[in-house]
C-alpha cells in the first residue's frame, strides 16, 4: 500500500456543500436537516432516514442516485461504494485527489451524519438469539464514520444527536465548521466506533463462552470530572453509568472517596433482604457497624452502638424507606451521605435542611448486574467474578459436637454476611442482629480479633454468648481459644487449614458450635 501523507493538515474553516445522512436514532433529525437545507447544503440519504427528511418537506437525494446502484441484500449494502467513500475520503486540499475524483465522476462530501444500529440495546434484551443480534451489527455505518473521522481535515462527522445543536449554531453563525470542531467530532466518532466494536467483541466472547476472555475490552463514557482524586494533588474522573444505580438528588457532588464509600455501602446492603430492616454505617469503605431489627431506627442504633466515634462524617445506608424517626436519630451527628431506596416526605423535609449533606436514592441493586470486579495493577489489570453470590446454609457443615441453637444460627448468618465486606484479615463479633466488634485490615488474624474485642470493650458491649465470623480459616487453635475467652459461643469460618482438627478440638473443648462454610471471603 502506498500512502502519500500531506505535509500538514489544512486548518481553515470548512464550508459544507454536500451532506450524507444515514441514522438509526432519528432524534433531532428534522432540525438538523432544516438547518442544512437553509444553508444550501445538498442532502444525500438512505432508506428510512430519507423518508423522514422528505416528510419534513426537505429535498433529499437517495444514495442510489449517487452510486447508480440499488441497495441490495435486504438493505445490507447501501453505501459501500466508491462514489460514497471516494467523496468522503477525498483530500480536497490536495490537487492530486481532486483530479482523480474528477476523472472518476466523484463529488466531495463535506458532512457525514451517521449513528449506528442499537446493538447494545438489542443484546441486552432477554432471549435474543445470535441470528437476531448479528442483524444489529452495523457495517456501512462504522465504515462511513471512520472514513469521515480519518479525513476530519476535510470532512465533519456527526455521530450522535447530542452534537447537532452545537453544530447548527456554528454553521449558522460562521457559515462553516472550524478545524478544532472537526477534530473534536473526529475524536468522538472514533470513540463511538471503538465502543461499538467493544460491545460486539464482548458479545461474541460470551457467545462462544470463552473463559477467560483472550482480549479484555472496556469502553465507558465519562460520568463526571471530579475535583480531585483520593488526595487533592491527584486528578480524577469517574466513568460508567452510576446514574443507573443511584440518584444523588441533594447535596454536593460526590468525591472520589465518596464513590468508593458508596460502592462499599451498596455492596453490603445488597446482602440484606428488604423484608428485614437493616442499616450499615461505612467509613473508609469499611463497615463500622451493622444492625438489623424490626424497624430502621433500632437497626441504626444497633449499627451506631458498635463504634460511636467512627460514624461521624461517615455514610449511612439502609434497605427500606427512610422514615422521619430514623432520620431524626441519624441527624443527631454529622453524617456526610445517607443512602436509601426511598425517603418519606417528612424525612426529606428534615434531611434537606443541611445543604451540603448528600442524599442518595438507590435505583438498582448492584447484585442485578455486577458480575465482575476489576483492579488496576502494574502492566494491566486483574479481573474476577464479584463476590456477591448469597450464602447458602445448605452448603455449610457443622463440624463441632454441639450444634448451634436457632439464635446462634441467626447470629452466625448475620456475622457471615458482614464479614465478607470487611477488609482482610477480617473478624466480626455479633449477637442479636448487631455487630459487637469489627477487626479489619490487619496482617494477623489474631490482631484483628484483638481489635474487635477491644472495640467492643470500649463501647461497653458484652461479647458473652456472641458469634464470631472469620473471612478465612483460623490457621491455629489459639484464635478460637481467644474468641472463647472473649465470650463467643459460636464460630463460622471457611475451614481448610492443615490444622483444622486442632481448631475443631479447641472449639469442642470450650463447648462452642462451629460451622465450616467451605467458602473464603478475602477482601483486599
Amino acid at each position: 500500500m502506498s500512502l502519500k501523507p500531506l505535509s500538514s493538515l489544512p486548518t481553515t474553516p470548512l464550508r459544507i456543500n454536500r451532506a450524507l445522512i444515514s441514522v438509526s436514532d432519528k432524534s433531532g433529525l428534522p432540525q438538523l436537516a432544516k438547518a442544512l437545507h437553509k444553508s444550501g447544503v445538498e442532502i444525500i440519504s438512505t432508506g428510512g432516514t430519507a423518508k423522514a427528511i422528505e416528510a419534513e418537506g426537505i429535498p433529499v437525494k437517495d444514495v442510489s442516485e449517487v452510486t447508480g446502484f440499488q441497495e441490495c441484500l435486504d438493505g445490507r449494502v447501501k453505501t459501500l461504494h466508491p462514489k460514497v467513500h471516494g467523496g468522503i475520503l477525498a483530500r480536497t486540499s490536495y490537487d492530486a485527489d481532486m483530479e482523480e475524483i474528477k476523472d472518476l465522476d466523484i463529488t466531495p462530501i463535506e458532512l457525514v451524519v451517521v449513528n449506528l444500529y442499537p446493538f447494545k440495546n438489542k443484546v441486552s434484551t432477554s432471549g435474543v438469539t445470535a441470528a437476531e443480534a448479528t442483524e444489529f451489527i452495523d457495517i456501512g455505518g462504522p465504515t462511513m464514520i471512520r472514513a469521515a473521522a480519518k479525513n476530519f481535515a476535510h470532512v465533519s462527522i456527526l455521530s450522535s444527536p447530542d452534537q447537532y445543536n452545537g453544530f447548527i449554531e456554528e454553521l449558522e453563525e460562521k457559515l462553516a465548521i472550524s478545524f478544532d470542531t472537526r477534530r473534536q467530532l473526529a475524536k468522538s466518532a472514533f470513540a463511538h466506533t471503538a465502543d461499538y466494536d467493544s460491545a460486539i467483541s464482548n458479545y461474541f466472547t460470551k457467545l462462544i463462552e470463552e473463559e477467560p476472555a483472550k482480549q479484555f475490552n472496556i469502553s465507558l463514557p465519562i460520568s463526571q470530572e471530579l475535583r480531585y482524586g483520593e488526595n487533592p494533588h491527584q486528578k480524577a474522573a469517574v466513568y460508567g453509568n452510576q446514574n443507573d444505580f443511584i440518584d444523588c438528588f441533594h447535596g454536593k457532588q460526590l468525591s472520589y472517596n465518596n464513590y468508593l464509600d458508596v460502592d462499599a455501602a451498596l455492596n453490603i446492603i445488597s446482602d440484606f433482604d428488604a423484608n428485614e430492616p437493616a442499616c450499615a454505617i461505612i467509613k473508609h469503605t469499611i463497615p463500622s457497624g451493622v444492625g438489623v431489627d424490626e424497624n430502621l431506627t433500632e437497626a441504626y442504633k444497633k449499627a451506631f452502638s458498635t463504634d460511636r466515634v467512627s460514624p461521624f462524617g461517615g455514610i449511612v445506608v439502609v434497605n427500606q424507606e427512610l422514615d422521619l424517626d430514623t432520620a431524626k436519630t441519624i441527624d443527631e451527628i454529622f453524617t456526610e451521605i445517607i443512602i436509601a431506596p426511598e425517603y418519606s416526605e417528612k424525612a426529606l423535609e428534615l434531611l434537606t435542611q443541611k445543604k451540603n449533606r448528600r442524599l442518595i436514592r438507590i435505583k438498582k441493586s448492584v447484585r442485578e448486574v455486577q458480575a465482575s470486579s476489576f483492579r488496576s495493577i502494574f502492566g494491566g489489570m486483574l479481573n474476577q467474578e464479584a463476590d456477591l453470590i448469597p450464602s447458602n446454609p445448605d452448603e455449610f457443615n457443622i463440624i463441632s459436637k454441639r450444634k448451634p441453637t436457632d439464635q446462634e444460627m441467626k447470629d452466625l448468618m448475620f456475622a457471615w454476611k458482614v464479614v465478607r465486606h470487611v477488609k482482610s484479615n477480617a473478624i466480626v463479633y455479633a449477637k442479636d442482629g448487631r455487630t459487637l466488634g469489627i477487626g479489619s485490615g490487619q496482617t494477623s488474624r489474631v490482631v484483628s480479633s484483638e481489635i474487635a474485642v477491644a472495640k467492643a470493650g470500649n463501647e461497653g458491649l458484652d461479647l458473652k454468648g456472641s458469634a464470631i465470623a472469620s473471612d478465612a480459616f483460623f490457621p491455629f487453635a489459639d484464635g478460637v481459644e481467644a474468641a472463647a475467652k472473649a465470650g463467643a459461643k459460636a464460630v463460622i469460618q471457611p475451614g481448610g487449614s492443615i490444622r483444622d482438627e486442632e481448631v475443631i478440638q479447641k472449639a469442642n473443648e470450650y463447648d462452642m458450635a462451629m460451622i465450616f462454610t467451605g467458602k473464603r471471603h478475602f477482601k483486599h
Side-chain angles (χ1 to χ4, degrees):
M1 180 175 65
S2 176
L3 292 176
K4 295 180 180 178
L6 301 179
S7 58
S8 62
L9 295 176
T11 59
T12 54
L14 175 71
R15 294 189 65 86
I16 308 296
N17 300 306
R18 209 160 176 245
L20 174 58
I21 307 177
S22 181
V23 294
S24 177
D25 180 357
K26 296 176 176 56
S27 303
L29 178 60
Q31 292 83 354
L32 177 64
K34 288 175 182 176
L36 292 173
H37 178 58
K38 183 180 178 182
S39 297
V41 177
E42 179 187 16
I43 298 176
I44 306 164
S45 192
T46 63
T49 304
K51 291 179 181 177
I53 295 172
E54 286 175 343
E56 298 295 326
I58 299 169
V60 60
K61 179 182 287 187
D62 192 274
V63 73
S64 61
E65 296 180 52
V66 175
T67 63
F69 202 94
Q70 292 296 318
E71 67 176 62
C72 60
L73 302 180
D74 201 21
R76 285 188 166 201
V77 180
K78 301 175 186 175
T79 58
L80 295 170
H81 193 281
K83 287 281 183 87
V84 172
H85 287 277
I88 297 172
L89 286 165
R91 296 166 293 184
T92 52
S93 66
Y94 184 45
D95 291 341
D97 278 12
M98 292 303 290
E99 290 174 9
E100 187 170 359
I101 64 171
K102 182 179 179 181
D103 291 342
L104 296 171
D105 194 26
I106 296 173
T107 306
I109 296 171
E110 294 86 11
L111 172 64
V112 174
V113 184
V114 174
N115 54 63
L116 308 175
Y117 298 158
F119 179 80
K120 281 203 256 187
N121 292 345
K122 187 64 178 179
V123 296
S124 66
T125 305
S126 177
V128 66
T129 66
E132 292 170 323
T134 51
E135 286 304 312
F136 277 76
I137 297 176
D138 205 324
I139 302 300
T143 308
M144 289 188 288
I145 289 175
R146 288 175 61 84
K150 174 180 179 176
N151 198 25
F152 73 90
H154 308 90
V155 180
S156 287
I157 170 64
L158 297 176
S159 54
S160 168
D162 294 338
Q163 300 165 336
Y164 295 173
N165 286 340
F167 180 88
I168 291 170
E169 288 176 9
E170 184 169 341
L171 181 65
E172 291 180 342
E173 180 183 345
K174 300 179 180 179
L175 304 178
I177 304 301
S178 71
F179 177 82
D180 287 342
T181 297
R182 302 196 305 273
R183 185 169 53 184
Q184 179 60 47
L185 291 172
K187 177 266 173 189
S188 298
F190 281 123
H192 184 45
T193 56
D195 177 67
Y196 197 73
D197 287 338
S198 291
I200 295 168
S201 176
N202 291 339
Y203 171 76
F204 275 90
T205 296
K206 291 181 181 179
L207 191 65
I208 65 174
E209 298 180 349
E210 182 180 84
E211 291 185 2
K214 299 299 185 290
Q215 171 74 29
F216 182 79
N217 301 299
I218 187 166
S219 178
L220 296 172
I222 190 167
S223 178
Q224 58 182 262
E225 185 176 347
L226 303 176
R227 286 188 299 152
Y228 54 81
E230 209 160 3
N231 300 291
H233 63 274
Q234 295 171 271
K235 293 180 180 180
V238 59
Y239 294 83
N241 303 294
Q242 289 73 34
N243 291 339
D244 290 349
F245 294 87
I246 63 169
D247 175 20
C248 185
F249 63 92
H250 178 81
K252 297 187 296 184
Q253 178 193 43
L254 293 177
S255 69
Y256 182 96
N257 293 329
N258 289 154
Y259 273 108
L260 293 176
D261 287 338
V262 169
D263 182 67
L266 294 176
N267 276 278
I268 192 169
I269 207 64
S270 72
D271 249 326
F272 293 89
D273 192 288
N275 293 324
E276 183 178 32
C279 174
I281 302 173
I282 306 295
K283 195 71 175 287
H284 296 301
T285 74
I286 301 169
S288 66
V290 184
V292 294
D293 205 279
E294 293 182 356
N295 63 72
L296 279 183
T297 303
E298 292 305 313
Y300 170 78
K301 288 179 179 178
K302 285 182 174 181
F304 181 77
S305 68
T306 307
D307 180 343
R308 289 174 291 178
V309 175
S310 295
F312 185 85
I315 291 179
V316 173
V317 60
V318 297
N319 66 341
Q320 293 185 352
E321 179 180 278
L322 190 66
D323 58 275
L324 179 60
D325 288 342
T326 308
K328 285 180 178 178
T329 308
I330 294 172
D331 198 49
E332 290 175 2
I333 67 165
F334 168 64
T335 301
E336 188 170 14
I337 301 175
I338 300 174
I339 308 171
E342 197 49 79
Y343 298 78
S344 73
E345 187 175 335
K346 290 184 177 180
L348 280 180
E349 288 177 7
L350 172 68
L351 296 175
T352 53
Q353 290 176 15
K354 294 183 178 178
K355 294 181 179 180
N356 289 335
R357 173 165 48 203
R358 285 89 158 181
L359 299 179
I360 292 175
R361 184 178 289 106
I362 301 172
K363 297 166 67 175
K364 182 192 295 185
S365 170
V366 293
R367 280 189 187 274
E368 293 182 36
V369 293
Q370 196 160 320
S372 296
S373 66
F374 310 96
R375 179 171 291 187
S376 61
I377 61 167
F378 53 92
M381 57 167 284
L382 291 170
N383 174 27
Q384 66 173 349
E385 292 180 343
D387 188 15
L388 290 175
I389 299 173
S391 299
N392 183 2
D394 294 337
E395 298 174 355
F396 293 174
N397 184 19
I398 300 173
I399 45 79
S400 56
K401 289 182 180 178
R402 184 175 72 80
K403 293 183 177 180
T405 65
D406 289 345
Q407 183 57 49
E408 286 174 339
M409 194 64 188
K410 286 182 181 179
D411 294 339
L412 289 167
M413 288 300 300
F414 172 79
W416 191 240
K417 285 182 180 179
V418 176
V419 78
R420 73 194 297 183
H421 300 284
V422 178
K423 282 185 170 56
S424 302
N425 287 305
I427 294 290
V428 172
Y429 284 87
K431 184 180 179 182
D432 296 331
R434 67 193 291 182
T435 49
L436 299 174
I438 298 174
S440 67
Q442 302 304 306
T443 53
S444 164
R445 193 159 301 279
V446 172
V447 174
S448 284
S449 183
E450 290 172 348
I451 290 173
V453 171
K455 282 188 173 182
N458 291 341
E459 298 297 343
L461 300 174
D462 188 359
L463 295 179
K464 185 177 181 180
S466 64
I468 179 176
S470 174
D471 65 332
F473 61 68
F474 285 98
F476 301 100
D478 60 351
V480 171
E481 183 175 23
K485 289 181 178 179
K489 292 298 292 180
V491 184
I492 187 166
Q493 59 145 318
S497 168
I498 59 173
R499 297 180 178 83
D500 272 351
E501 285 303 318
E502 296 175 23
V503 174
I504 294 169
Q505 288 176 14
K506 188 61 67 175
N508 288 334
E509 181 183 325
Y510 283 92
D511 193 33
M512 301 175 82
M514 181 179 283
I515 289 176
F516 280 4
T517 66
K519 186 175 288 186
R520 189 180 71 186
H521 287 302
F522 268 168
K523 183 177 176 64
H524 292 103

